[in-house]
Amino acid sequence: MTTDRHTVHSRSELRLSIILGLDDLWHHRPTYQEIVRRARDAGLAGASVWRGIEGYGASSRIHTTRLLDLADGLPVLVVVVDDEPRIRAFVAAIAELLTRATVTVDRVERLHVSDRPE
């Protein structure tokens, strides 16, 4: 697709979403930090982490920032988008980090917008 000033390219990729607890640790470090480090080391396009303000998991116990005594265990979402073979290989490579996580993979359309050459 082309506009007056920009060109938009799209391609089908996978979005890996990993939901885990803010307090989940891997060798005394936050698990989400280890996932991001390994994504970078694997050469994936990028990884982002979002901290949730409320949620619950298998325990059905609600974790929230609204109540000080329940502020532990807040949800964290790690998102990585790349092509399918790279995402599937990455999941296999980090399986040991995912035993307490909820992991989903969705097909997405990735857009790249660039300046249209004059």
Side-chain angles (χ1 to χ4, degrees):
M1 168 180 19
T2 303
T3 67
D4 289 342
R5 301 176 68 189
H6 297 92
T7 301
V8 179
H9 303 279
S10 72
R11 67 182 192 203
S12 179
E13 293 192 342
L14 292 185
R15 175 180 51 213
L16 170 64
S17 299
I18 304 168
I19 302 168
L20 45 105
L22 181 63
D23 301 328
D24 291 350
L25 299 177
W26 177 257
H27 297 285
H28 309 290
R29 293 183 53 215
T31 303
Y32 68 87
Q33 287 181 356
E34 182 66 14
I35 293 169
V36 170
R37 185 189 67 75
R38 290 189 191 189
R40 185 200 58 213
D41 292 350
L44 297 178
S48 298
V49 178
W50 285 272
R51 185 176 69 174
I53 59 172
E54 187 167 288
Y56 72 92
S59 72
S60 295
R61 183 174 148 212
I62 294 178
H63 304 276
T64 180
T65 57
R66 291 180 290 138
L67 302 170
L68 292 178
D69 61 334
L70 296 177
D72 63 330
L74 291 173
V76 175
L77 172 65
V78 181
V79 176
V80 182
V81 177
D82 211 311
D83 66 19
E84 183 168 356
R86 293 169 60 91
I87 291 292
R88 298 219 182 265
F90 182 65
V91 169
I94 66 165
E96 63 192 347
L97 302 175
L98 305 177
T99 59
R100 298 185 61 203
T102 299
V103 181
T104 63
V105 178
D106 306 284
R107 198 161 301 286
V108 296
E109 181 181 7
R110 182 174 178 185
L111 302 178
H112 176 74
V113 180
S114 60
D115 291 329
R116 189 171 157 203
E118 306 274 336

